[in-house]
Amino acid sequence: QVQLVESGGGLVQAGGSLRLSCAASGRTFSYYAMGWFRQAPGKEREFVATISWSGGRTYYADSVKGRFTISRDNAKNTVYLQMISLQPEDTAVYYCAAARTASTSHTPIGEYTYDYWGQGTQVTVSS
């Protein structure tokens, strides 16, 4: 029903910036909150950021607050993750996800609340 494709990952040096994009396609018949997660090798996937369908509410993991910004453009069916001041510990595969919701202000954090996932894009931060 919904397909998500991430792009924008790459290799950057510590202190650098990247902007990830996630394009959604397919028919949708409800509102969707969007989120970003990441998974480093040998580690569990962790929550990064989420944004409500309206774009009016956001929530971030403590580890990225002040450095990452999530935004969305519903007209383009795209969600973004602007990352600045990247650190080696930010190295991971980054996934975008969509969660069905009846609320325009819902900002889910748990992986279990998300219904659709992209394939991921690699972000590598070198020291």
Side-chain angles (χ1 to χ4, degrees), residues 11 24 44 51 53 93:
L11 174 65
E44 296 181 351
I51 186 168
W53 185 90
V93 176

Side-chain angles (χ1 to χ4, degrees), residues 8-82:
L11 174 65
V12 298
Q13 291 185 269
S17 302
L18 282 175
R19 186 190 189 220
L20 305 183
S21 298
C22 175
S25 62
R27 285 277 190 268
T28 59
F29 298 96
S30 62
Y31 301 127
Y32 286 88
M34 299 294 296
W36 287 95
F37 294 77
R38 66 186 183 185
Q39 186 169 25
K43 304 293 184 180
E44 296 181 351
R45 187 160 58 188
E46 65 176 349
F47 166 78
V48 175
T50 184
I51 186 168
S52 64
W53 185 90
S54 69
R57 294 182 182 273
T58 59
Y59 190 81
Y60 299 89
D62 289 341
S63 60
V64 305
K65 285 181 179 177
R67 298 189 299 117
F68 290 12
T69 302
I70 187 171
S71 62
R72 68 190 298 167
D73 185 339
N74 288 349
K76 296 182 178 180
N77 294 316
T78 302
V79 64
Y80 307 94
L81 186 68
Q82 178 66 56

